[in-house]
């Protein structure tokens, strides 16, 4: 058969590829199942964090990691060409999917031209190009789309004549890949082919069956090997899906909604319009033609074979329509067959328009025009989720929250570096996705995917641990993403400030025709169907009308502050000189070439670095070195160990300890959010505006601000908290981490890093507290290397000597309070001494306690002016029953983090 009037392979591929590329780049993700069951796990496999659904819990194992690994290879190939951003990775994967779909479509079209009819292949090409369903299914990261690709290749082989060489092998292999590697239910599409083989070539049936069994065994073996490795047990995810959805083992798919029997007919009309009508007409027209040809004694085997070609669409439609649980993507596997059936219908109708041979093309062009309007509607009306996340400012470790609109999340690929998604409790009462176990907990990707957890269920029950309580939104969320419709806003304008918004159609209050196809504004304004619009916004906590100290913006506390920073190329020794000179514990690292901040150099990082270099001198340091080698920054740690010089670049040490990473906030961020961050252990944050650090906000500064302003805005709850004794607050624990004065410095550093704390109590042989070794003392090790080989007390004495030489002030060895002291007293002492912690001590003998008398606390300062930064050291602390003694035993500690955590709770 001559093919000169059929578009060439390259032309057909070029046309289809252009449409699929547009869809990949412009179309939003249409199904939250695609995001949370495929994009998020793929993100976790490659980047180490992402959302996890219950289907990926090892006890259920309904989803295949083999399917994800196939697509992960695209990312690995992309990384050979450079270091793409996560957003570039996302669109690259979609582009490959779209082009792969176009390739399979082209093979299918050419096979129809070769083995069925040239005109039918032209109709098929037009139908595929203009079908809205193919537009969004072609580039989707869904097993049903993958099954559609492989199904087109299987159908391209199946349309050949029975007995043709390689026909059965190619068909069986392609459908095995579709069903085992893609979607198990795609096997339904192959049923007519199986019946054809049984009827037309019964003698070859054993061979066909053997090929089928072999293809399934090979594909299932590969999938099982990978899935079992990730789940930590023998698993075939495809079978688990069938057991859950069909056999009802372990759950019921109807928990996720049911639809009427005509759902897929309606869906087909929406996504294919006239093509769906023509597809439904193929079998009736085939029957009419059979009757006419038999009556005219001109019937043939080709017409009977055509029956097997049109049946996949009908069989799939009937089987899926009988299932109570229906979803739009389920019909994806027969979208190409829908177009094929429509093409067959037009071919069978040709005798009715002999005088007008181009009528069929006109019908399909009209269908493509309507399809194009549907495609434009999907992009224009519902594209807000993909665009609004681009308004998020770049910064590290920010929490982005969503509530009722959680299903619109476009995936973690759209979050800036360091940002994480958190759900907020809302009206939705189903089972929200959780998070994959962090690599630091699982130890590896496999350790996290195989970890048995109890926070997942298959009954769609609400899991509280997967969402933040609604009343803690302002304390936890740095940004909130929500859809706002007129009169139906989720966020209060007084409490949240909009960072950026994108328009989104209010489908619930917009008439059908005005929401399913794109209507240009000039046309829409003259139509009786009026569109209702809302907006999807990224919001940031605003100042509101409240006057509480927690509502103060961060910028108010860093005004006129001189920011100290260090170039990332500076040496470690230079960075330590800066810390000593300015008496600070951390400094942001700035890369002058990229003009960005690359991290924070913190004294905990220096302590870890020293331990890694001197690990051969102390067993505990060796243990820490082994732990660091397993951490996510192990590459940097190894570099530090190998180089081991004071001239090393300070950028090697950035966040080596994972204790105080570079965390930035906007100037408008409220202290409520900053305090919530501090309560999790972070000691300072960078206040950034226009990608420039305009101030460093520390725990000390926030506590000082609270101390100066609390009398004006103190709540009754906060007042009761401040008057509560330390013992009742749980700060007297008797499990304080301690060292002896003669203990080696390296041992003390290892304890600091092991317990992730900032200070150690130095106690004598009778357990009396005689000193305090802080991480702030570590910076002096970079100047005097011999101190690293000395004792804890030698380091503390050297540090106090340098500090005294600098400002001429004597410093007490340790500050302490008694367990009976109130939090107000401990806070006053922290502010007065400028310390980061006070130790809780108690007398060694009970008679000392009985001899003590309680003394009332002096009142807190009434106004800000009474306690200024210059007079803070003169705040009166009356000697009393609350004050500790050098003869006391240490039994607890009150740190700035403890105080802030109590204020948050």
């Amino acid at each position: 058969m001559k093919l000169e009037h059929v578009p060439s392979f390259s032309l057909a591929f070029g046309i289809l590829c252009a449409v699929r590329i547009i869809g990949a780049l412009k179309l939003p993700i249409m199904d939250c199942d695609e995001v949370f069951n495929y994009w998020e796990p793929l993100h976790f496999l490659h980047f180490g964090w992402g959302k996890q659904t219950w289907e990926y819990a090892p006890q259920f194992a309904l989803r295949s990691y083999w399917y994800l690994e196939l697509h992960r290879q695209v990312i690995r190939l992309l990384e050979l060409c450079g270091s793409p951003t996560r957003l570039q990775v996302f669109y690259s994967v979609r582009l490959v999917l779209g082009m792969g779909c176009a390739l399979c479509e082209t093979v299918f079209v050419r096979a129809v031209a070769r083995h069925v009819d040239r005109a039918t292949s032209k109709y098929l090409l037009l139908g595929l190009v203009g079908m809205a369903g193919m537009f969004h299914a072609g580039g989707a990261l869904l097993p049903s789309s993958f099954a559609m690709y492989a199904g087109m290749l299987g159908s391209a082989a199946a349309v050949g004549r029975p007995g043709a060489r390689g026909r059965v092998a190619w068909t069986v292999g392609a459908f095995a890949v579709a069903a085992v590697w893609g979607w198990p239910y795609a096997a339904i599409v192959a049923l007519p082919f199986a019946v054809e083989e049984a009827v037309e070539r019964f003698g070859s049936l054993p061979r066909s069956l053997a090929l089928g069994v072999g293809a399934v065994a090979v594909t299932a073996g590969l999938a099982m090997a990978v899935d079992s490795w990730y789940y930590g047990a023998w698993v075939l995810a495809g079978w688990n899906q069938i057991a859950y959805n069909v056999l009802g083992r372990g759950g019921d798919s109807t928990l996720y909604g049911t639809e009427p029997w005509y759902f897929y007919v309606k869906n087909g009309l929406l996504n294919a319009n006239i093509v769906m009508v023509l597809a439904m007409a193929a079998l009736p027209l085939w029957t009419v033609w059979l009757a006419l040809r038999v009556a005219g004694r001109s019937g043939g085997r080709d017409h009977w074979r055509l029956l097997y070609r049109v049946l996949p669409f009908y069989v799939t439609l009937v089987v899926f329509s009988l299932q109570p649980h229906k979803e739009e993507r389920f019909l994806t596997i027969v979208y190409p067959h829908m177009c094929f059936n429509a093409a067959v219908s037009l071919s069978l109708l040709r005798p009715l328009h002999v005088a007008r041979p181009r009528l069929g093309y006109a019908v399909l062009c009209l269908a493509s025009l309507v399809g194009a309007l549907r495609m434009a509607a999907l992009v224009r009306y519902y594209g807000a989720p993909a665009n609004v996340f681009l308004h998020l400012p770049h910064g590290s470790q920010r929490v982005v929250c969503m509530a009722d609109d959680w299903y619109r999340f476009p995936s973690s690929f759209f979050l800036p570096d360091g940002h994480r998604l958190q759900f907020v409790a809302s009206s939705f009462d189903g089972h929200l996705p959780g998070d994959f176990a962090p690599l630091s907990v699982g130890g590896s990707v496999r350790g996290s995917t195989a970890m048995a957890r109890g926070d997942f269920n298959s009954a769609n029950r609400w899991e509280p641990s997967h969402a933040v309580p609604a009343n803690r939104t302002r304390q936890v969320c740095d940004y909130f993403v929500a859809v706002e419709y007129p009169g139906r806003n989720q966020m209060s304008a007084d409490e949240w400030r909009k960072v950026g918004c994108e328009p989104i159609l209010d489908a619930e209050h917009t008439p059908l025709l005005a929401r399913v196809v794109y209507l240009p504004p000039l046309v829409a304004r003259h139509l009786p169907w009026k569109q209702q619009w809302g907006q999807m916004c990224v919001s940031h906590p605003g100042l509101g009308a409240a006057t509480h100290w927690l509502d103060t913006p961060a910028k108010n506390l860093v005004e006129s502050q001189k920011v100290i920073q260090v170039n990332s190329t500076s040496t470690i020794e230079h960075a330590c000189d800066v810390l000593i000179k300015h008496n600070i514990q951390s400094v942001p690292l700035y890369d002058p070439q990229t003009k960005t901040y690359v991290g924070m150099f913190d004294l905990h990082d220096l302590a870890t670095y020293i331990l890694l270099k001197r690990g051969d001198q102390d067993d505990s340091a060796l243990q820490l070195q082994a732990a660091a080698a397993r951490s996510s920054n192990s590459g940097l740690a190894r570099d530090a160990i190998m180089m081991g010089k004071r001239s090393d670049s300070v950028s090697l040490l950035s966040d080596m300890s994972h204790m105080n990473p570079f965390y930035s906030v906007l100037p408008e961020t409220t202290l409520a959010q900053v305090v919530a961050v501090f309560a999790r252990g972070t000691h300072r944050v960078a206040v950034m505006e226009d990608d420039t650090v305009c101030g460093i906000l520390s725990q000390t500064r926030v506590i000082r601000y609270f101390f100066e302003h609390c009398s004006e805005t103190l709540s009754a709850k906060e007042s009761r908290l401040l008057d509560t004794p330390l013992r009742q607050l749980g700060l007297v624990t008797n499990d304080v981490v301690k060292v002896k004065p003669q203990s080696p410095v390296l041992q003390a550093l290892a304890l600091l890093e092991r317990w992730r704390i900032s200070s150690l109590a130095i106690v004598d042989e009778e357990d009396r507290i005689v000193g305090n070794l802080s991480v702030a003392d570590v910076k002096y090790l970079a100047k005097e290397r011999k101190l690293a080989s000395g004792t804890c007390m030698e380091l503390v004495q050297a540090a106090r000597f340098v500090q005294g030489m600098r400002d001429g002030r004597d410093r007490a060895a340790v500050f302490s309070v008694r367990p009976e002291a109130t939090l107000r007293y401990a806070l006053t002492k922290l502010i007065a001494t400028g310390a980061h912690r006070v130790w809780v001590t108690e007398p060694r003998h009970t008679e000392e306690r009985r001899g003590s008398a309680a003394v009332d606390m002096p009142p807190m300062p009434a106004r800000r002016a009474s306690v200024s930064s210059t007079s803070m050291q003169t705040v009166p602390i009356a000697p009393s029953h609350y004050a500790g003694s050098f003869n006391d035993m240490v039994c607890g500690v009150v740190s700035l983090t403890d105080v802030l955590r109590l204020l948050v709770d």
Side-chain angles (χ1 to χ4, degrees):
M1 182 180 293
K2 295 182 179 180
L3 302 177
E4 60 269 20
H5 298 299
V6 178
S8 64
F9 187 97
S10 58
L11 178 60
F13 176 71
I15 295 172
L16 290 165
C17 195
V19 177
R20 300 295 167 252
I21 289 176
I22 294 173
L25 296 178
K26 295 294 185 180
L27 192 69
I29 296 177
M30 305 306 299
D31 191 340
C32 66
D33 188 73
E34 180 182 352
V35 172
F36 293 110
N37 270 330
Y38 303 104
W39 283 111
E40 284 297 291
L42 181 63
H43 188 278
F44 171 76
L45 290 184
H46 203 76
F47 296 103
W49 54 274
K51 289 294 180 181
Q52 179 183 9
T53 62
W54 68 269
E55 291 98 324
Y56 282 94
Q59 61 266 39
F60 304 112
L62 265 64
R63 304 297 178 186
S64 174
Y65 284 103
W66 168 250
Y67 171 76
L68 298 175
E69 280 293 347
L70 291 175
H71 296 82
R72 191 181 176 192
Q73 306 315 307
V74 177
I75 306 178
R76 287 177 170 148
L77 289 174
L78 185 65
E79 289 180 338
L80 294 177
C81 304
S83 300
T85 65
R86 285 180 293 114
L87 200 58
Q88 290 171 338
V89 167
F90 173 84
Y91 283 111
S92 296
V93 172
R94 293 194 85 181
L95 285 171
V96 171
L97 291 173
M99 291 188 288
C101 179
L103 179 62
C104 296
E105 290 174 275
T106 306
V107 172
F108 187 36
V109 169
R110 294 287 293 180
V112 170
R114 185 176 297 108
H115 300 295
V116 180
D117 181 72
R118 288 177 293 173
T120 302
S121 70
K122 293 179 183 179
Y123 293 148
L124 173 60
L125 178 60
L126 275 174
L128 291 170
V129 169
M131 182 180 176
M134 289 295 298
F135 184 68
H136 62 71
L141 184 64
L142 285 168
S144 54
S145 290
F146 181 87
M148 179 185 71
Y149 307 157
M152 282 189 284
L153 297 179
S155 298
V159 296
R161 290 187 176 276
R165 184 178 180 181
R167 172 177 176 265
V168 174
W170 280 105
T171 303
V172 168
F175 279 118
V177 169
V180 180
W181 291 1
W183 200 40
Y185 313 105
I188 297 172
V189 182
L191 288 178
F193 167 74
V195 173
E196 180 185 11
E197 282 296 297
V199 173
E200 299 286 339
R201 303 179 67 244
F202 183 78
S204 302
L205 187 59
R207 177 177 177 273
S208 300
L209 289 175
L211 285 172
V213 171
V216 171
V218 172
T219 53
L222 288 172
M224 178 181 288
V226 174
D227 289 343
S228 300
W229 189 84
Y230 275 111
Y231 283 116
W234 289 107
V235 167
L236 184 58
W239 168 250
N240 288 348
Q241 283 191 46
I242 296 173
Y244 177 85
N245 291 305
V246 179
L247 304 180
R249 295 181 183 176
D252 183 3
S253 62
T254 59
L255 291 170
Y256 303 93
T258 59
E259 300 292 344
W261 65 268
Y262 55 82
F263 173 82
Y264 289 117
V265 176
K266 182 175 68 174
N267 179 261
L269 291 173
L270 178 66
N271 286 314
N273 56 82
I274 303 173
V275 171
M276 178 64 177
V277 177
L278 292 172
M280 296 288 290
L283 187 57
L285 287 173
W286 179 89
T287 305
V288 170
W289 261 85
L290 178 67
L292 293 175
R293 290 174 71 88
V294 170
R297 296 185 180 181
S298 57
R301 295 179 64 86
D302 286 345
H303 194 68
W304 280 102
R305 292 194 185 105
L306 186 62
L307 174 64
Y308 298 119
R309 312 293 180 256
V310 300
L311 279 180
F313 170 73
Y314 290 103
V315 172
T316 306
L317 182 64
V318 170
V319 170
F320 285 172
S321 295
L322 293 176
Q323 306 305 312
H325 176 63
K326 302 176 180 68
E327 295 187 36
E328 179 179 339
R329 68 178 184 276
F330 290 178
L331 205 62
T332 295
I333 56 175
V334 287
Y335 278 169
H337 294 273
M338 185 188 298
C339 295
F340 174 77
N341 280 25
V344 169
S345 293
L346 289 174
S347 296
L348 295 176
L349 283 171
R350 275 181 293 176
L352 301 179
H353 51 82
V354 173
R356 304 175 67 184
R358 299 186 182 276
L359 182 59
Y361 299 115
V363 171
L364 285 178
C365 286
L366 177 61
S368 296
L369 176 61
V370 177
L373 292 175
R374 173 62 180 166
M375 299 174 199
L378 294 175
V379 175
R380 176 68 179 85
Y381 297 162
Y382 309 105
N387 297 324
V388 76
F389 278 83
L390 302 180
H391 289 284
L392 286 169
H394 288 265
S396 60
Q397 297 189 6
R398 301 243 176 101
V399 178
V400 181
C401 293
M402 299 185 76
D404 286 315
D405 301 297
W406 64 271
Y407 59 91
R408 300 182 191 271
F409 180 56
S411 81
S412 295
F413 287 91
F414 284 79
L415 293 176
D417 291 339
H419 290 50
R420 299 292 187 270
L421 176 70
Q422 183 63 267
F423 297 123
V424 175
S426 63
S427 59
F428 179 76
D429 60 357
H431 192 23
L432 286 170
D435 291 284
F436 279 97
L439 299 185
S440 59
V441 176
S444 64
V445 170
R446 182 175 182 264
S448 297
T449 57
M451 182 177 296
R453 293 164 53 182
D455 57 332
F456 291 108
N457 67 82
S458 62
N460 199 24
R461 293 192 305 270
W462 172 258
E463 172 52 49
S465 65
H466 291 182
V468 175
N471 60 0
R472 288 182 54 81
T473 303
R474 285 175 59 85
Q475 286 74 29
V476 175
C477 304
D478 296 300
Y479 299 99
F480 199 97
V481 181
V483 174
E484 300 179 355
Y485 297 122
R488 292 175 289 152
N489 294 347
Q490 296 184 44
M491 312 307 298
S492 170
D494 293 334
E495 297 181 356
W496 295 84
R497 181 182 64 83
K498 292 181 176 62
V499 176
C501 296
E502 294 290 335
I504 188 170
L505 190 72
D506 184 357
E508 183 180 351
H509 293 86
T510 298
L512 178 65
L513 185 60
R515 70 173 184 262
V516 298
V517 295
Y518 176 70
L519 299 176
L522 291 177
V523 176
R525 70 181 58 174
H526 298 293
L527 296 177
W529 314 292
K530 299 303 180 183
Q531 295 175 331
Q532 301 297 321
W533 286 84
Q535 55 183 1
M536 191 171 186
C537 298
V538 174
S539 300
H540 186 274
L543 300 181
T547 59
H548 195 272
W549 71 278
L550 286 174
D551 293 319
T552 306
K555 64 181 180 182
N556 288 11
L557 275 70
V558 296
E559 290 178 342
S560 303
Q561 184 185 92
K562 180 181 179 182
V563 177
I564 307 300
Q565 63 186 33
V566 172
N567 285 350
S568 59
T569 56
S570 300
T571 64
I572 297 172
E573 185 175 14
H574 172 72
C576 291
D577 287 338
V578 172
L579 297 181
I580 295 173
K581 177 181 178 181
H582 298 281
N583 194 28
I584 54 179
Q585 295 191 23
S586 64
V587 62
L589 302 181
Y590 181 76
D591 188 341
Q593 294 184 346
T594 61
K595 296 182 179 180
T596 58
Y597 292 91
V598 297
M600 186 79 77
F601 171 52
D602 183 83
L603 289 175
H604 280 284
D605 302 326
L606 179 61
T608 302
Y609 175 73
I610 292 172
L611 283 170
L612 290 170
K613 286 178 58 179
R614 305 290 294 271
D616 58 337
Q617 299 183 18
D618 188 85
D619 291 339
S620 56
L622 282 172
Q623 295 174 6
L624 183 75
Q625 182 175 350
R630 295 191 298 268
S631 71
S632 58
N633 273 5
S634 59
L636 293 179
R638 285 194 299 268
D639 290 343
I641 296 169
M642 294 301 295
M643 296 176 68
K645 301 175 182 178
R646 286 194 297 175
S647 59
D648 289 346
S649 170
V650 70
S651 61
L652 285 174
L653 275 63
S654 178
D655 197 25
M656 181 178 288
S657 65
H658 305 291
M659 290 279 288
N660 286 297
F662 185 85
Y663 193 110
S664 61
V665 298
L666 293 176
E668 297 80 10
T669 301
T670 63
L671 290 188
Q673 289 182 290
V674 174
V675 169
V677 173
F678 286 162
R680 297 196 292 265
T682 300
H683 289 181
R684 57 198 56 80
V685 298
V687 182
M688 294 191 68
E689 186 172 20
D690 298 329
D691 296 327
T692 301
V693 174
C694 57
I696 301 294
L697 187 55
S698 65
Q699 288 184 338
T700 301
R701 183 67 185 96
V702 171
I703 287 291
R704 186 182 294 273
Y705 182 83
F706 168 74
F707 184 84
E708 296 170 352
H709 293 76
C710 65
S711 61
E712 300 176 2
T713 60
L714 200 62
S715 67
K717 185 176 181 180
E718 288 170 332
S719 182
R720 289 193 300 271
L721 174 67
L722 290 175
D723 292 330
T724 303
L726 301 179
R727 191 184 298 276
Q728 293 183 22
L729 293 173
L731 297 176
V732 182
T733 60
N734 292 312
D735 59 353
V736 177
V737 183
K738 299 169 283 189
V739 293
K740 300 297 183 182
Q742 66 276 16
S743 298
V745 168
L746 288 180
Q747 179 184 349
L749 296 185
L751 288 172
L752 288 174
E753 301 308 300
R754 177 184 177 187
W755 295 105
R756 302 181 69 81
I757 54 179
S758 299
S759 184
L760 298 170
I762 302 177
V763 298
D764 61 14
E765 297 300 329
E766 297 182 4
D767 214 29
R768 293 176 301 188
I769 186 165
V770 296
N772 170 79
L773 189 148
S774 168
V775 72
D777 302 324
V778 174
K779 56 178 174 282
Y780 299 102
L781 297 177
K783 298 298 293 180
E784 295 292 337
R785 288 188 174 186
K786 62 181 181 180
L787 290 174
S789 303
T791 66
C792 292
M793 190 55 74
E794 289 174 349
L795 173 60
V796 171
Q797 291 174 346
R800 301 298 176 264
F801 176 78
V802 174
Q803 293 167 354
M805 290 293 293
R806 184 178 61 245
D807 54 24
R809 288 169 48 200
D810 293 331
R811 283 174 168 78
V814 65
F815 301 107
S816 62
V817 295
R818 293 282 176 84
E820 294 76 15
T822 63
L823 181 62
R824 187 190 301 269
Y825 181 86
L827 178 59
T828 305
K829 198 159 192 175
L830 282 170
I831 295 297
T833 60
H836 293 89
R837 70 205 55 78
V838 292
W839 299 100
V840 183
T841 61
E842 59 183 351
R844 297 178 57 82
H845 304 293
T846 54
E847 53 270 17
E848 294 183 40
R849 300 191 187 98
R850 289 194 295 267
S852 301
V855 178
D856 291 337
M857 273 293 298
M860 296 287 279
R863 309 192 62 81
R864 179 175 183 175
S866 63
V867 185
S868 65
S869 60
T870 59
S871 63
M872 190 59 61
Q873 301 298 331
T874 63
V875 175
I877 302 179
S880 68
H881 167 66
Y882 291 161
S885 167
F886 286 111
N887 290 320
D888 288 352
M889 295 187 303
V890 63
C891 60
V893 63
V894 180
S895 67
L896 298 180
T897 301
D898 294 326
V899 175
L900 293 169
R901 186 177 291 121
L902 289 169
L903 290 174
V904 170
D905 293 340

